[in-house]
Amino acid sequence: MTKFCITILGCGSAMPTTLHNPPSQLIEMNDKLFMIDCGEGTQLQMRKFKARMSKLHSVFISHLHGDHIFGLPGLLSTLSLLGRTADLNIYAHKEIDFLINPFLTYMGNHISFKINVIPINPHSEEIIFENSSIKIHSFPLNHRIDSNGFLFEEKKSASHIIREMIDYHKIPYHMIYNIKRGDDFITTEGDVIKNETLTVPGTPSKKYAYCSDTAYDPDVVKYIKNVDLLYHEATFAESENKRAEETYHSTASQAATIAKMAEVKKLVIGHFSSRYNELGVLLKEASLIFPETELASEGKIFEL
Amino acid sequence: MTKFCITILGCGSAMPTTLHNPPSQLIEMNDKLFMIDCGEGTQLQMRKFKARMSKLHSVFISHLHGDHIFGLPGLLSTLSLLGRTADLNIYAHKEIDFLINPFLTYMGNHISFKINVIPINPHSEEIIFENSSIKIHSFPLNHRIDSNGFLFEEKKSASHIIREMIDYHKIPYHMIYNIKRGDDFITTEGDVIKNETLTVPGTPSKKYAYCSDTAYDPDVVKYIKNVDLLYHEATFAESENKRAEETYHSTASQAATIAKMAEVKKLVIGHFSSRYNELGVLLKEASLIFPETELASEGKIFEL
């Protein structure tokens, strides 16, 4: 399988600080970059962390609070200045028109590529992108306004055929493709050689899930079951759990509880409130419930 | 006179780089902050350089290219999160409605203060703000779209009365105010004591001018004559003078020529093209014509 990694461009929340930028991250899969959320300064963070603008495939917006979208006009302008010609798909709630339409009107003929806004469904899980090797789902979260999480999934790779079995059974070259995909082999004598004796399973497909912004909600578990990496917001420490509830955000221990229920391999927490200069308390509270927890930070790369 | 200083928040141009942020600067006068231009990331730069958001008095937008305005939505949102209640005046070309109106509509009731867009005149010089100690002018520049420069001017302070003359002429207390402002003193005997024998001139008033974005245009000289500090764009080196002409920008030596003609005390050049990693060539070319030239850089403070 090719590289599958997540670069954190910003893991702050509504109020930017000198420590954390507004939310944005890049998912690299199959040499393409998918962006989730685009807070103010995202294009500057891409430059800082040397992300290739030309590799940007599409953008996924979780919800329409300013800290998740105010970097879009600048990013789109810069892509145009760089001469991008490929369409850019923006997957977002349809109300994003409020931002995109005036931008397009104002830019007039000066934008070098086409922007397609693809509305996402705030009420149920959907596959929103699929090609031969990648599948991307969106699913509902539980926030003050419509908010969606995203699941990035590698497609199951074909099995590997066992070289010695090709020789032993004299399997013709043209049959290998289908055997890798599950067929049994039938000899010229009519004997059936079971697929499982001919192959070993391919590389396991990996999964990454993004859940931000959201209140604590066990309903999300079914969408993110067993993922290799879960990014879940942890805006507050447990001492602020009332504030978390009021604002439809999560505490670090709630993020960890979701990770535990979903039996994910690893949890990354982010979307930190500007009140925390020091994140030790969030990490500690989450790790008590789910030890495989790590703090997000700008520039950090998580490889799956 | 009180503090009068300029903090550079960004001195890059259309394409942000890791070296330079998009244009923005803060003018501190009389304990108020006036912002000129507001490129993406301006609020982050304010935090970085510890500028007090609560002191922000008003915003002046030179023109409506994205690199000068895309930081506004984030800044306005943050001011609202911080609970600002004072009106915020934004002085800009009226077409800025394309950005502000959808923002206000989208934010609905969630913005804590009133935003007043005050249209500036792209065709002639005007006083756009005035109080007891400050006067701010806008004047036309020469760019691809309507663009204005700004002149920030302290009002002439009152003369200082000479203490010994009060005693000598037995000047009553209630007459001092008018003498400081230019009146002669008439003694009880009817003798006229000339003002110039009673006073020394007050602290000279200082002036700062901002000229960006603009092509080289000697017409601007009349608006910025004798200012203490001139910020003039110098997007290109002389080797790119054709490109400067085509894009209605200036070269460093053109900026210096304007400074020389206007007989300013000091020139700061900025709005650097992203092609320059090293700005020595721009400084050298400008200094040859106008030795009192300095390069802008993020975080630099110029005190008048």
Side-chain angles (χ1 to χ4, degrees), chain A residues 16 40-41 43-44 47 64 106, chain B residues 16 40-41 43 47 64 106:
Chain A
E40 183 178 358
Q43 62 159 328
L44 309 174
R47 295 211 176 259
L64 302 182
Y106 183 71
Chain B
E40 182 178 359
Q43 63 160 328
R47 295 212 176 258
L64 301 181
Y106 182 71

Side-chain angles (χ1 to χ4, degrees), chain B residues 117-164:
Chain B
V117 172
I118 303 186
I120 55 176
N121 184 335
H123 305 301
S124 61
E125 195 264 359
E126 276 182 2
I127 293 168
I128 52 175
F129 175 82
E130 187 168 9
N131 68 14
S132 61
S133 55
I134 299 169
K135 208 189 268 189
I136 305 173
H137 312 244
S138 90
F139 51 86
L141 298 174
N142 182 2
H143 197 43
R144 299 194 297 282
I145 60 171
D146 286 343
S147 186
N148 279 57
F150 301 104
L151 176 73
F152 288 72
E153 180 181 10
E154 287 173 338
K155 284 193 177 171
K156 208 172 176 309
S157 77
S159 298
H160 299 302
I161 197 160
I162 302 164
R163 177 94 234 155
E164 291 73 19

Side-chain angles (χ1 to χ4, degrees), chain A residues 158-193:
Chain A
S159 300
H160 299 302
I161 197 160
I162 303 164
R163 175 96 232 149
E164 291 72 18
M165 296 310 249
I166 299 177
D167 299 339
Y168 183 80
H169 293 291
K170 300 191 172 57
I171 300 173
Y173 185 73
H174 71 272
M175 301 183 89
I176 291 177
Y177 182 87
N178 286 335
I179 292 172
K180 279 185 172 179
R181 272 150 195 83
D183 279 9
D184 296 333
F185 174 57
I186 300 165
T187 63
T188 43
E189 291 80 32
D191 294 336
V192 175
I193 315 293

Side-chain angles (χ1 to χ4, degrees), chain A residues 129-147:
Chain A
F129 174 81
E130 187 169 8
N131 69 13
S132 60
S133 55
I134 299 170
K135 209 189 268 190
I136 305 174
H137 312 242
S138 90
F139 51 86
L141 297 174
N142 182 2
H143 197 43
R144 299 195 296 282
I145 59 171
D146 287 342
S147 185

Side-chain angles (χ1 to χ4, degrees), chain A residues 14-18 20-22 39-44 47-50 63-66 69-75 77-78 81-82 95 98-99 102-103 106-107 145, chain B residues 14-18 20-22 39-44 47-50 63-66 69-75 77-78 81-82 95 98-99 102-103 106-107 145:
Chain A
M15 188 96 77
T17 66
T18 50
H20 297 294
N21 278 62
E40 183 178 358
T42 292
Q43 62 159 328
L44 309 174
R47 295 211 176 259
K48 188 169 172 188
F49 301 124
K50 302 196 194 314
H63 66 297
L64 302 182
H65 279 152
I69 53 175
F70 284 158
L72 276 173
L75 176 68
S77 297
T78 293
L81 281 172
L82 292 170
E95 297 81 2
F98 98 92
L99 185 79
F103 172 78
Y106 183 71
M107 292 294 282
I145 59 171
Chain B
M15 187 95 76
T17 65
T18 50
H20 297 295
N21 278 61
E40 182 178 359
T42 291
Q43 63 160 328
L44 309 175
R47 295 212 176 258
K48 187 169 172 186
F49 301 124
K50 302 194 194 313
H63 67 299
L64 301 181
H65 279 151
I69 53 175
F70 284 156
L72 276 173
L75 176 69
S77 298
T78 293
L81 281 172
L82 292 170
E95 297 82 1
F98 98 94
L99 185 79
F103 171 77
Y106 182 71
M107 292 292 283
I145 60 171

Side-chain angles (χ1 to χ4, degrees), chain B residues 134-263:
Chain B
I134 299 169
K135 208 189 268 189
I136 305 173
H137 312 244
S138 90
F139 51 86
L141 298 174
N142 182 2
H143 197 43
R144 299 194 297 282
I145 60 171
D146 286 343
S147 186
N148 279 57
F150 301 104
L151 176 73
F152 288 72
E153 180 181 10
E154 287 173 338
K155 284 193 177 171
K156 208 172 176 309
S157 77
S159 298
H160 299 302
I161 197 160
I162 302 164
R163 177 94 234 155
E164 291 73 19
M165 297 309 247
I166 299 177
D167 301 337
Y168 182 82
H169 293 292
K170 300 191 172 59
I171 300 173
Y173 185 74
H174 72 271
M175 300 183 91
I176 291 176
Y177 183 87
N178 286 335
I179 292 172
K180 278 184 171 180
R181 273 148 194 84
D183 278 10
D184 296 332
F185 173 60
I186 299 163
T187 65
T188 42
E189 292 79 34
D191 294 336
V192 176
I193 316 293
K194 285 288 193 198
N195 184 278
E196 50 267 38
T197 68
L198 302 173
T199 61
V200 291
T203 323
S205 68
K206 296 209 168 119
K207 291 176 187 174
Y208 169 66
Y210 177 91
C211 296
S212 183
D213 295 0
T214 187
Y216 170 73
D217 189 349
D219 270 357
V220 85
V221 169
K222 59 181 173 290
Y223 305 121
I224 60 173
K225 202 81 190 167
N226 300 122
V227 298
D228 297 270
L229 186 67
L230 167 66
Y231 178 95
H232 196 289
E233 73 139 279
T235 310
F236 297 107
E238 207 45 41
S239 57
E240 299 288 330
N241 65 1
K242 202 155 168 53
R243 179 99 186 111
E245 202 181 320
E246 283 161 9
T247 56
Y248 287 76
H249 282 298
S250 302
T251 65
S253 54
Q254 288 171 338
T257 305
I258 295 292
K260 192 176 176 183
M261 287 193 282
E263 298 175 90

